[in-house]
Amino acid sequence: MYTVGSKIEEKTGSAFCVMEEDTTKYEWVAQLSPFNTIFQAELLAIQETCLWASKSNQQIKVWSDSESSLHSIASIDTKSSIAQQTQEILLKSTNIKLGWIRAHVGYSGNEAADILAKKATQEGIPTYIPAPRNHIKSLLQKESIIRWQKEWDNGETGRSVHNVLPKVKTTPTPWQRQEIMFLTGLGPFPTYIKRFNIRSSDSCGCGNLGNTLHYATSCLFTT
């Protein structure tokens, strides 16, 4: 028996086939949700294969080209519910053995299963399995960014920074200390110092408002 998972253009498929003397005896194909990963598809194919094989009294070898899936099933610390369910099947069915096979090197069973998995992305039986954790994290991050953007657009503080960086992002901006001071105005400028009553006026020595834009564009002293 040969198992394969496939993902083509955000469509995920899972499949296995039963081979006897290079002849396909049985096929199974499932179309998963776009958010499901190829790792989940590989695990599901192995699980369904073991379910099918558990009904037989014959010695059956299940071949998979997914080392990560096999390692997950072999691990006592696996967090995957599919892998855990497969472990339970294997504990009750001693006639089933799992093995790794290299993909795309000419094994007819593996090639047949690969074709089925690709077909499953388009025509497989619609099958639902929960989204992986990384998909949930991605959704939460997108929602957080949307909320953060609304707060940034509608805020009352940091407007000078908003004029330069209107879009929020999770990666830090590679600014130097002087650049941050200039952009935010949080530095030795009259408009900032006056807020703390360190000086009585927020005007520059030339008489104009002593903010960063003034010093950079029109102050006679800095000119």
Side-chain angles (χ1 to χ4, degrees):
M1 303 179 71
Y2 297 84
T3 70
V4 174
S6 181
K7 195 174 186 73
I8 303 174
E9 297 178 352
E10 299 304 316
K11 294 183 178 181
T12 311
S14 181
F16 77 81
C17 62
V18 181
M19 304 291 292
E20 286 187 359
E21 299 179 355
D22 292 333
T23 301
T24 303
K25 178 182 177 182
Y26 180 80
E27 298 177 350
W28 176 88
V29 292
Q31 183 184 54
L32 307 184
S33 302
F35 54 69
N36 290 127
T37 64
I38 191 169
F39 174 68
Q40 289 182 305
E42 296 276 9
L43 277 176
L44 180 63
I46 296 174
Q47 181 193 51
E48 291 295 330
T49 305
C50 292
L51 276 174
W52 191 92
S54 64
K55 301 173 184 177
S56 171
N57 295 323
Q58 296 179 333
Q59 293 297 315
I60 296 176
K61 188 76 172 185
V62 178
W63 296 102
S64 170
D65 59 16
S66 173
E67 286 188 279
S68 58
S69 298
L70 294 172
H71 287 161
S72 180
I73 294 171
S75 172
I76 60 173
D77 298 320
T78 183
K79 299 298 189 296
S80 168
S81 59
I82 303 176
Q84 293 170 353
Q85 292 165 10
T86 305
Q87 290 173 341
E88 293 177 3
I89 297 171
L90 292 172
L91 286 173
K92 298 176 182 178
S93 305
T94 57
N95 62 312
I96 305 172
K97 303 297 181 184
L98 304 185
W100 177 75
I101 190 172
R102 189 179 298 278
H104 309 302
V105 292
Y107 294 108
S108 58
N110 180 256
E111 297 297 332
D114 186 61
I115 293 173
L116 281 176
K118 289 181 171 61
K119 178 182 177 183
T121 62
Q122 303 291 335
E123 305 174 10
I125 301 170
T127 304
Y128 175 81
I129 56 176
R133 290 182 63 186
N134 60 353
H135 176 72
I136 303 300
K137 288 173 65 177
S138 176
L139 292 179
L140 290 174
Q141 185 180 55
K142 288 180 181 178
E143 180 62 26
S144 298
I145 291 292
I146 291 172
R147 294 188 182 186
W148 184 15
Q149 185 67 59
K150 288 181 179 179
E151 292 178 2
W152 183 229
D153 291 338
N154 301 323
E156 297 179 357
T157 59
R159 296 304 85 190
S160 60
V161 181
H162 184 276
N163 290 335
V164 180
L165 293 176
K167 298 295 183 182
V168 301
K169 58 181 180 179
T170 56
T171 55
T173 301
W175 288 345
Q176 297 180 3
R177 181 172 179 269
Q178 294 85 347
E179 294 171 323
I180 296 173
M181 290 171 63
F182 177 80
L183 181 66
T184 61
L186 307 181
F189 312 108
T191 50
Y192 179 66
I193 297 175
K194 184 179 181 297
R195 291 167 55 186
F196 301 96
N197 297 318
I198 298 175
R199 60 179 289 160
S200 59
S201 172
D202 60 3
S203 298
C204 171
C206 69
N208 293 305
L209 189 65
N211 57 22
T212 55
L213 189 62
H214 165 69
Y215 287 116
T217 61
S218 63
C219 181
L220 295 175
F221 295 151
T222 54
T223 299

